[in-house]
């Protein structure tokens, strides 16, 4: 379902199919307002997610000032370098509206380590966002996201969890 573009909403771009499965699990959590959450098609690699940020998503963020953008990528154990690459492409005036999160390695390693399916991981992460818990977010494969998760709570939580 496409989000209402002129109201506060969140668009998520997943790097690959497993990231999309996690996003779908998040969206399917009962308290997420799916009319305000749009998951785009799989980008097909982190470089393609970065390219989408550069064009056309940056232009769409300017066009729709109520939009927030989440880029869900695999950091492939290169968190500092990859995160910095994304941050360098986000204009200062859009910094509060763009979020870069993902598994330290790959979603496959996360699912193996947690013994949860990607969809169950997504639902659990949504539940934690809704209730203010952080057990799964604190997992070694996800804890590097803590600053972005804090920003998501500040800028996105009230959009997605409206019930």
């Amino acid at each position: 379902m496409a989000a209402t573009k002129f109201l506060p909403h969140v668009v998520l771009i997943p790097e690959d199919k497993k990231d999309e499965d996690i996003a779908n699990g998040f969206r399917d959590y009962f308290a997420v307002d799916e009319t305000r959450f749009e998951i785009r098609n799989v980008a097909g690699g982190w470089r393609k997610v970065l390219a989408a940020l550069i064009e056309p998503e940056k232009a769409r963020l300017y066009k729709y000032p109520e939009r927030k953008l989440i880029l869900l990528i695999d950091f492939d154990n290169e968190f500092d370098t990859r995160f910095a690459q994304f941050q360098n492409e986000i204009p200062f005036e859009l910094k509060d509206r763009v979020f870069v999160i993902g598994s330290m390695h790959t979603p496959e390693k996360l699912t193996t380590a947690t013994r949860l399916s990607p969809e169950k991981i997504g639902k659990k992460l949504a539940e934690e966002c809704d209730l203010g818990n952080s057990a799964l977010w604190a997992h070694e494969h996800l804890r590097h996201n803590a600053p972005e998760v804090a920003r998501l709570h500040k800028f996105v939580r009230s959009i997605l969890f409206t019930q």
Side-chain angles (χ1 to χ4, degrees):
M1 177 179 293
T4 306
K5 293 180 173 81
F6 297 102
L7 296 175
H9 66 283
V10 178
V11 172
L12 182 141
I13 301 175
E15 173 181 334
D16 57 29
K17 177 67 173 122
K18 292 290 184 190
D19 289 317
E20 180 185 45
D21 293 343
I22 291 170
N24 285 332
F26 190 101
R27 183 200 56 219
D28 292 344
Y29 176 68
F30 80 95
V32 171
D33 183 348
E34 66 182 56
T35 66
R36 294 176 176 227
F37 188 44
E38 178 181 345
I39 301 170
R40 292 280 169 79
N41 292 330
V42 169
W46 71 267
R47 285 184 175 90
K48 290 184 180 179
V49 175
L50 182 59
L53 168 63
I54 296 167
E55 186 60 42
E57 292 304 326
K58 195 183 308 182
R60 290 179 179 147
L61 285 164
Y62 285 115
K63 183 175 181 179
Y64 303 111
E66 297 295 329
R67 175 174 288 182
K68 308 289 191 260
L69 180 65
I70 299 173
L71 307 171
L72 182 56
I73 66 168
D74 309 343
F75 286 104
D76 300 316
N77 208 28
E78 295 181 21
F79 174 74
D80 292 332
T81 304
R82 201 159 290 171
F83 188 78
Q85 286 178 286
F86 279 82
Q87 291 302 309
N88 288 337
E89 293 299 333
I90 303 169
F92 177 78
E93 62 274 13
L94 298 178
K95 292 276 186 195
D96 288 344
R97 297 174 49 210
V98 180
F99 307 85
V100 182
I101 60 172
S103 175
M104 177 58 84
H105 305 285
T106 64
E108 291 82 2
K109 287 188 178 186
L110 177 62
T111 58
T112 299
T114 60
R115 296 184 177 149
L116 297 171
S117 70
E119 294 82 4
K120 286 183 180 178
I121 289 170
K123 276 190 180 179
K124 181 69 175 162
L125 293 173
E127 176 185 16
E128 290 185 4
C129 288
D130 183 30
L131 302 177
N133 301 334
S134 61
L136 185 53
W137 281 112
H139 188 277
E140 68 179 296
H141 288 267
L142 295 173
R143 66 176 159 230
H144 59 280
N145 293 302
E148 290 292 89
V149 171
R151 288 184 344 102
L152 284 164
H153 277 270
K154 181 178 179 181
F155 296 106
V156 174
R157 187 174 182 273
S158 64
I159 297 169
L160 293 182
F161 299 94
T162 57
Q163 298 181 2

